[in-house]
Amino acid sequence: MAPNNNRTKGSHFPLLAFLLLCLLAPLLFFRASPLHTFHDQGGNSDFTSRKVASFRESQSLQDLESLFSKEVLDVIVSNTNDVGPFSLESFRKNLSASWRVVGSKASNATNQVNEPANNVEQEKQNGKEGRFSVGYAQWTDTPAQLSRRQLIEKRKEKRAAELIREDEAIVKLENSAIEHSKSVDSAVLGKYNIWRKENENENADSTVRLMRDQIIMAKVYLSIAKMKGSLQLYQELESQLKGSQRALGEATSDAELKPSDHENIKTMGHVLSKAKEQLYDCKLVTGKLRAMLQTADERVRSLRKQSTFLSQLAAKTIPNGIHCLSMRLTIDYFLLPLEQRKFPRSENLENPTLYHYALFSDNVLAASVVVNSTIVNAKDPSKHVFHLVTDKLNFGAMNMWFLLNPPGKATINVENVDEFKWLNSSYCPVLRQLESATMKEYYFKAGHPTTTGASNLKYRNPKYLSMLNHLRFYLPQVYPKLDKILFLDDDIVVQKDLTGLWAVNLNGNVNGAVETCGESFHRFDKYLNFSNPLIAKNFDPNACGWAYGMNMFDLKVWKKKDITGIYHKWQNLNEDRVLWKLGTLPPGLMTFYGLTHPLNKSWHVLGLGYNPSVDRSEIDNAAVVHYNGNMKPWLEIAMTKYRSYWTKYVKFSHPYLQNCRLHE
């Protein structure tokens, strides 16, 4: 037992010695530490504080380096260089709502906002003195940092200016787009929407297209089967082709097909599949399709020429209804007693204070529309005088119509151009040229080389043979007592009162007309042969053309300038038609060159006889609309969209029109 007790006593001594060392070691350390010495030295207190700060900073850096990577420390240093050392107080003030403690009554930032104004002023003053709390060293920018901060501010200002300019540009684009959208015609938008609806459905009328494709391929294989001697397949294809052509007929949509046609499509599909297995040869099929395409192209060109010829022919002819009307009126006129063939108010025909119109026409219905539309829209019809001139064939009909349908209080007179004895071949160059052998050959011998081709077809119009078309160059001779006269074509419709035209100052010119050179093809070089030196010397190829159809003529200036003599001069020089082709516009452009006053375009709108895209607002605002071109409103080829402007002035309920089957 004794040995065990001694071993227990010996084991307690090392434990007590270790505990004593743990208690005494810190005391010895702080006793020997220089901090105590520095603290006791009152004269070196500043130096001591700097040493303490340096020591703490080094310790902190060591701790940070052990906690964060080098990249994180670089970020902290760069941010510190820009905005100064981090402050816990500033962090608290700028703390976002998502970092605030849930359940707290108010954040530091909220308390700061609710502080009195004197505290705010105090903080501002403190901010001027320094941004850091007492005990921290004052932080200042180095010159490099200050320069960097200035460059950053300049870049920010420059970028802000660029953004403002971009915003202004975007606003301008948006405004221009808005204005453009306002100017877009709603009718155009409607057409576009309709077009989209038609094409959004890819399967629209797919059955008709399938049948057409089958017919094309059947024709291809039919010719190949005949070439290779496959008689049985040839007969099958021929029989099925005829059936498909009968089924398709004139159909252009699936709705026009019959339910039984679908069975025909299936049968044709089986026959074509069989033909493909037996006869398909890529080279042969391609050659046949190319030949069919070439044939179709030649047929299209032929049909286009035929269409041009027929349209020109239709423009020359008079519809049966109008011819019937003229014949019936003529018969009834010559059955009238002589005393009933006179018009009232004949004393107004030479009164220069009234509004006088010149109308030269051989179309009774067209002339009636011109007179009727003018009177309906006139403010005082009693001051309007109409001078109608027609040919011998239509003289009785024209008189009879206006005797039966007098133009209200207006004055009207009808004359026969064949009774103008002064208008003969010795005085008028056109009449002399029309009597020449070359002109007769040009008009009446179809086998002549000059008559071939559709380009010359329109110049063989019978109106160019009629003096009614050339009488416009002899107005002072026809109406010697008048000072001004308004010339109207018979294919126009009057929509407004025209008396304002007599008040227009022509500035010493003879002709007042609306110019038509909005497009390049309406200038002088379109109508005259500028390869001829006589034309090139006297006229400007870029001079603006103007329109016949509504022209105000000053007959006093006409006589002074000898306009008719100028016309005769150029007409004599063009006997062989080398200066211009036939017609009255080219010699009119030459005769009134430099003597034409441009009228406002709203007085006269053209194109209703050939242009399908005349703006509807221009038509509605026009004083006169003109159906110049081949598609006259009294013809079947007239454009339906414009015809109502003309038909509203036709009395379709009149017995003569009913008997001749003239209807709207």
Side-chain angles (χ1 to χ4, degrees), residues 255-326:
E256 300 176 25
L257 297 176
K258 299 177 181 178
S260 59
D261 293 338
H262 293 278
E263 189 64 31
N264 196 342
I265 293 173
K266 292 180 180 179
T267 306
M268 173 63 89
H270 292 309
V271 176
L272 288 176
S273 179
K274 181 179 179 181
K276 182 178 180 181
E277 292 177 359
Q278 298 182 18
L279 304 174
Y280 182 77
D281 185 312
C282 182
K283 186 176 181 180
L284 278 176
V285 171
T286 303
K288 292 294 181 181
L289 288 173
R290 186 180 293 112
M292 291 174 65
L293 181 62
Q294 185 176 357
T295 303
D297 185 57
E298 292 174 356
R299 186 180 178 189
V300 168
R301 283 199 296 268
S302 176
L303 290 174
R304 187 180 293 115
K305 290 180 181 179
Q306 185 178 358
S307 174
T308 303
F309 173 80
L310 292 175
S311 64
Q312 296 290 344
L313 183 63
K316 296 176 185 179
T317 56
I318 298 176
N320 289 335
I322 295 179
H323 180 72
C324 166
L325 176 65
S326 180

Side-chain angles (χ1 to χ4, degrees), residues 382-551:
S382 63
K383 294 183 178 181
H384 295 259
V385 182
F386 293 90
H387 301 268
L388 271 69
V389 180
T390 187
D391 54 16
K392 183 190 303 183
L393 183 63
N394 294 282
F395 177 73
M398 199 75 73
N399 276 279
M400 189 63 190
W401 176 265
F402 288 105
L403 287 171
L404 293 173
N405 305 279
K409 297 180 180 180
T411 303
I412 193 167
N413 184 54
V414 180
E415 296 180 270
N416 182 3
V417 68
D418 296 314
E419 294 179 358
F420 295 160
K421 301 304 180 184
W422 52 268
L423 195 63
N424 50 55
S425 58
S426 62
Y427 175 67
C428 179
V430 172
L431 283 175
R432 184 174 65 254
Q433 292 168 9
L434 289 175
E435 293 175 358
S436 66
T438 56
M439 191 66 73
K440 290 179 180 178
E441 186 179 28
Y442 179 81
Y443 272 101
F444 302 113
K445 290 188 178 180
H448 193 274
T450 58
T451 63
T452 58
S455 60
N456 294 326
L457 188 61
K458 66 177 181 179
Y459 298 107
R460 291 177 193 70
N461 197 314
K463 71 178 182 179
Y464 298 126
L465 297 174
S466 173
M467 276 309 299
L468 289 176
N469 200 44
H470 296 270
L471 196 61
R472 63 192 68 189
F473 294 105
Y474 300 95
L475 290 174
Q477 288 83 350
V478 182
Y479 311 109
K481 299 292 182 68
L482 301 180
D483 297 334
K484 278 188 174 183
I485 195 166
L486 183 65
F487 172 79
L488 298 176
D489 268 342
D490 63 356
D491 56 352
I492 63 104
V493 175
V494 179
Q495 300 187 129
K496 294 183 181 180
D497 182 71
L498 299 180
T499 55
L501 286 169
W502 276 264
V504 174
N505 184 4
L506 299 182
N507 297 316
N509 293 304
V510 184
N511 176 27
V514 170
E515 293 182 333
T516 58
C517 58
E519 305 290 343
S520 60
F521 57 84
H522 283 152
R523 298 187 182 273
F524 270 44
D525 59 352
K526 170 65 177 178
Y527 305 100
L528 305 179
N529 179 20
F530 276 87
S531 63
N532 188 290
L534 191 61
I535 296 293
K537 179 181 177 182
N538 290 278
F539 303 100
D540 178 10
N542 294 317
C544 187
W546 44 267
Y548 265 130
M550 189 208 72
N551 305 82

Side-chain angles (χ1 to χ4, degrees), residues 1 15 64 72 93 168 237 240 253 257 268 307 405 459 535 572 575 629:
M1 293 298 296
L15 180 60
L64 287 173
V72 176
K93 292 177 181 178
E168 292 176 353
L237 285 168
Q240 193 60 42
S253 64
L257 297 176
M268 173 63 89
S307 174
N405 305 279
Y459 298 107
I535 296 293
N572 284 323
E575 185 170 1

